[in-house]
Amino acid sequence: EAGVAQSPRYKIIEKRQSVAFWCNPISGHATLYWYQQILGQGPKLLIQFQNNGVVDDSQLPKDRFSAERLKGVDSTLKIQPAKLEDSAVYLCASSPRGTGVGETQYFGPGTRLLVL
Amino acid sequence: SQKIEQNSEALNIQEGKTATLTCNYTNYSPAYLQWYRQDPGRGPVFLLLIRENEKEKRKERLKVTFDTTLKQSLFHITASQPADSATYLCALLSGYSTLTFGKGTMLLVSP
């Protein structure tokens, strides 16, 4: 089966600019996750969708970050305006149900963002 | 506050030896714990899951233990190979279905 697809793979922007990332999860997966991974750290959950509803966005900086998952499939994550500390890899993952039963999460390759 | 701690320094071992990585946690009561592998420039890849009522889980050359009293999981790779070189992340269920990851430990296996 095809894996989780993300684009772009790399992005360089200046601070205060806006940027958007796209994710296409594995077909049929109900749950989609966006993580931020800063160099030397583990992935940190930003937002979790179950179909097209938000399950957890407690760590999403809502003053500048937004995410949507239209029709319960693809998702976009936007940052506006970007700050230097947003430089990180943004990982998208999906899982079949995401109901806390110990499911495997399948990760995409990530988008590497550099804010200058 | 909740914490997940993994060896911050890289672990260097010789090919053929057993690698042992540690994951300690505080202020969690996770129903399960997962281990992932991450190669440079790639997303994490799931390796093993162990539930709170399981002491040990094995998959090929991999073995995971889970001690809820010590609040610790150990991850072992036996007969290690240079291809095992990567960063290994532990992750705990920290909510209904939310995973919290440790920082990871880099493993370097020398020929």
Side-chain angles (χ1 to χ4, degrees):
Chain A
E1 66 184 356
V4 176
Q6 291 189 247
S7 68
R9 291 298 311 277
Y10 305 93
K11 191 75 178 177
I12 301 174
I13 61 172
E14 295 193 349
K15 60 183 179 183
R16 291 188 288 274
Q17 285 188 323
S18 62
V19 64
F21 313 127
W22 173 82
C23 173
N24 181 235
I26 292 172
S27 178
H29 279 195
T31 305
L32 184 147
Y33 314 79
W34 282 103
Y35 290 88
Q36 179 193 60
Q37 187 173 25
I38 292 171
L39 189 64
Q41 305 285 319
K44 183 182 92 171
L45 180 70
L46 293 176
I47 189 166
Q48 177 179 339
F49 292 95
Q50 182 90 9
N51 297 308
N52 57 352
V54 175
V55 172
D56 185 347
D57 64 355
S58 57
Q59 298 191 91
L60 186 73
K62 299 181 185 63
D63 57 333
R64 298 185 301 106
F65 286 64
S66 64
E68 60 181 7
R69 189 182 185 197
L70 297 176
K71 300 181 182 178
V73 183
D74 293 6
S75 177
T76 55
L77 176 69
K78 295 180 182 177
I79 308 175
Q80 183 179 13
K83 291 186 175 181
L84 297 177
E85 58 261 36
D86 297 331
S87 294
V89 176
Y90 290 85
L91 294 163
C92 179
S94 69
S95 64
R97 292 172 293 163
T99 57
V101 294
E103 282 193 328
T104 299
Q105 293 188 18
Y106 297 85
F107 284 82
T111 295
R112 195 170 299 269
L113 174 68
L114 179 60
V115 182
L116 302 175
Chain B
S1 62
Q2 295 177 321
K3 279 187 183 178
I4 302 172
E5 293 182 347
Q6 295 187 253
N7 312 59
S8 57
E9 294 183 10
L11 178 64
N12 286 274
I13 63 168
Q14 285 291 117
E15 182 176 8
K17 301 290 186 184
T18 296
T20 299
L21 285 68
T22 305
C23 176
N24 294 301
Y25 59 92
T26 55
N27 296 320
Y28 281 101
S29 295
Y32 62 79
L33 184 149
Q34 298 184 354
W35 284 88
Y36 286 77
R37 169 183 172 142
Q38 188 171 25
D39 290 284
R42 300 194 157 210
V45 174
F46 171 79
L47 296 174
L48 279 169
L49 177 151
I50 187 164
R51 301 185 190 282
E52 60 180 340
N53 60 350
E54 298 175 318
K55 296 292 184 188
E56 183 179 297
K57 202 79 168 282
R58 291 175 186 261
K59 178 183 175 182
E60 298 172 352
R61 294 184 296 112
L62 308 181
K63 184 178 87 171
V64 172
T65 63
F66 194 10
D67 189 326
T68 55
T69 301
L70 290 179
K71 295 187 182 296
Q72 181 181 81
S73 175
L74 299 179
F75 177 82
H76 307 273
I77 305 176
T78 58
S80 59
Q81 304 165 2
D84 295 326
S85 298
T87 295
Y88 291 86
L89 300 159
C90 74
L92 305 181
L93 180 67
S94 55
Y96 177 63
S97 59
T98 300
L99 281 182
T100 298
F101 285 83
K103 291 183 180 181
T105 298
M106 184 183 295
L107 173 66
L108 299 170
V109 182
S110 304

Coordinates of all heavy atoms in Angstrom, one line a residue, chain A residues 3 6 9-10 18 22 25 32 39 55 57 67 70-71 73-75 86 88 95 97 99 104 107 111:
Chain A
G3 N 2.4 4.8 1.1 CA 2.6 5.4 2.4 C 2.0 6.7 2.5 O 1.2 7.2 1.6
Q6 N 3.8 13.6 1.8 CA 3.8 15.0 2.3 C 4.5 15.8 1.2 O 5.4 15.4 0.5 CB 4.6 15.1 3.6 CG 4.0 14.5 4.8 CD 4.7 14.8 6.0 OE1 5.3 13.9 6.7 NE2 4.7 16.1 6.4
R9 N 8.9 18.8 0.4 CA 9.9 18.1 1.3 C 10.8 19.2 2.0 O 11.2 18.9 3.1 CB 10.8 17.2 0.5 CG 10.1 16.0 -0.1 CD 9.6 15.1 1.1 NE 10.5 14.8 2.1 CZ 11.4 13.9 2.0 NH1 11.5 13.1 1.0 NH2 12.3 13.7 3.0
Y10 N 11.0 20.3 1.4 CA 11.8 21.3 2.0 C 11.2 22.7 1.7 O 10.6 22.9 0.6 CB 13.3 21.3 1.4 CG 13.9 20.0 1.5 CD1 13.9 19.1 0.5 CD2 14.7 19.7 2.7 CE1 14.5 17.8 0.6 CE2 15.3 18.4 2.8 CZ 15.2 17.5 1.7 OH 15.8 16.3 1.8
S18 N 4.2 33.4 5.4 CA 3.3 32.3 5.7 C 3.8 31.1 4.9 O 4.5 31.2 3.8 CB 1.9 32.7 5.3 OG 1.8 33.0 4.0
W22 N 1.2 20.1 3.1 CA 0.1 19.2 2.7 C 0.4 17.8 3.0 O 1.6 17.3 3.0 CB -0.1 19.3 1.2 CG -1.1 18.4 0.6 CD1 -2.4 18.5 0.6 CD2 -0.7 17.2 -0.1 NE1 -3.0 17.4 -0.1 CE2 -2.0 16.6 -0.5 CE3 0.5 16.5 -0.4 CZ2 -2.0 15.4 -1.2 CZ3 0.4 15.3 -1.1 CH2 -0.9 14.7 -1.5
P25 N -2.8 11.0 3.8 CA -2.6 9.8 4.6 C -2.8 8.5 3.8 O -3.2 8.5 2.7 CB -3.7 10.0 5.7 CG -4.8 10.7 5.0 CD -4.1 11.6 4.0
L32 N -5.5 11.2 11.5 CA -4.3 11.9 11.0 C -3.7 12.8 12.0 O -4.4 13.5 12.8 CB -4.8 12.8 9.8 CG -3.7 13.5 9.0 CD1 -4.1 13.6 7.5 CD2 -3.4 14.9 9.5
L39 N 15.2 19.8 15.8 CA 16.4 19.1 15.8 C 16.9 18.6 17.2 O 16.9 19.4 18.1 CB 17.5 20.0 15.2 CG 18.9 19.3 14.9 CD1 18.6 18.2 13.8 CD2 19.9 20.3 14.4
V55 N -9.5 15.9 17.5 CA -9.5 15.2 18.7 C -8.6 15.9 19.8 O -9.0 15.9 20.9 CB -9.0 13.8 18.5 CG1 -8.8 13.0 19.8 CG2 -9.9 13.0 17.5
D57 N -5.9 19.3 20.0 CA -5.1 20.4 19.4 C -4.5 21.2 20.6 O -4.2 22.4 20.4 CB -5.8 21.3 18.4 CG -7.0 22.0 19.1 OD1 -7.3 21.8 20.3 OD2 -7.7 22.8 18.4
A67 N -4.9 24.2 11.0 CA -4.9 23.0 10.3 C -6.3 22.6 9.9 O -7.2 23.0 10.7 CB -4.2 21.9 11.0
L70 N -10.1 18.5 5.2 CA -11.4 18.5 4.5 C -11.8 17.1 4.0 O -11.0 16.3 3.6 CB -11.3 19.4 3.3 CG -11.0 20.9 3.6 CD1 -10.7 21.7 2.3 CD2 -12.1 21.5 4.4
K71 N -13.1 16.8 4.2 CA -13.6 15.5 3.7 C -13.0 14.3 4.4 O -13.0 13.2 3.9 CB -13.5 15.4 2.2 CG -14.3 16.5 1.4 CD -14.2 16.3 -0.1 CE -14.9 17.4 -0.8 NZ -14.8 17.3 -2.2
V73 N -9.9 13.4 4.6 CA -8.8 12.7 3.8 C -7.5 13.5 4.0 O -6.9 13.5 5.0 CB -9.2 12.5 2.4 CG1 -8.1 11.7 1.6 CG2 -10.5 11.7 2.3
D74 N -7.2 14.4 2.9 CA -6.0 15.2 2.9 C -6.1 16.2 4.0 O -7.2 16.6 4.5 CB -5.9 15.9 1.6 CG -5.6 15.0 0.5 OD1 -5.6 13.7 0.7 OD2 -5.4 15.4 -0.6
S75 N -4.9 16.7 4.4 CA -4.9 17.8 5.4 C -3.8 18.8 5.0 O -2.8 18.5 4.4 CB -4.5 17.2 6.8 OG -4.4 18.1 7.8
D86 N 10.1 28.3 14.6 CA 9.3 27.4 13.9 C 10.1 26.5 13.0 O 9.6 25.5 12.4 CB 8.2 28.1 13.0 CG 7.2 28.9 13.9 OD1 7.0 28.5 15.0 OD2 6.7 29.9 13.3
A88 N 11.9 23.5 11.9 CA 11.7 22.2 12.4 C 11.3 21.3 11.2 O 11.1 21.8 10.1 CB 10.6 22.1 13.4
S95 N -3.2 6.7 11.2 CA -3.5 5.3 11.7 C -4.9 4.9 11.4 O -5.8 5.8 11.1 CB -3.3 5.3 13.3 OG -4.1 6.2 13.9
R97 N -7.6 3.7 13.1 CA -8.7 4.2 13.9 C -8.3 5.3 14.9 O -9.0 6.2 15.0 CB -9.3 3.0 14.6 CG -10.0 2.0 13.7 CD -10.5 0.8 14.5 NE -9.3 0.0 15.0 CZ -9.3 -0.9 15.9 NH1 -10.5 -1.1 16.5 NH2 -8.3 -1.5 16.3
T99 N -8.0 5.0 18.2 CA -8.9 5.0 19.3 C -8.3 4.6 20.6 O -8.9 4.2 21.5 CB -10.1 4.0 19.0 OG1 -9.5 2.7 18.8 CG2 -10.9 4.5 17.9
T104 N -0.5 1.3 15.5 CA 0.7 1.8 14.9 C 0.4 3.1 14.2 O -0.7 3.2 13.6 CB 1.2 0.8 13.9 OG1 1.5 -0.4 14.6 CG2 2.5 1.3 13.2
F107 N 4.2 7.2 9.5 CA 4.7 8.5 9.3 C 5.1 8.8 7.9 O 5.6 7.9 7.2 CB 5.9 8.8 10.2 CG 5.6 9.0 11.7 CD1 5.4 8.0 12.5 CD2 5.5 10.3 12.1 CE1 5.1 8.2 13.9 CE2 5.2 10.6 13.5 CZ 5.0 9.5 14.3
T111 N 8.3 17.5 6.2 CA 8.7 18.7 5.5 C 9.6 19.4 6.4 O 9.3 19.7 7.5 CB 7.4 19.6 5.2 OG1 6.6 18.9 4.3 CG2 7.9 20.9 4.6

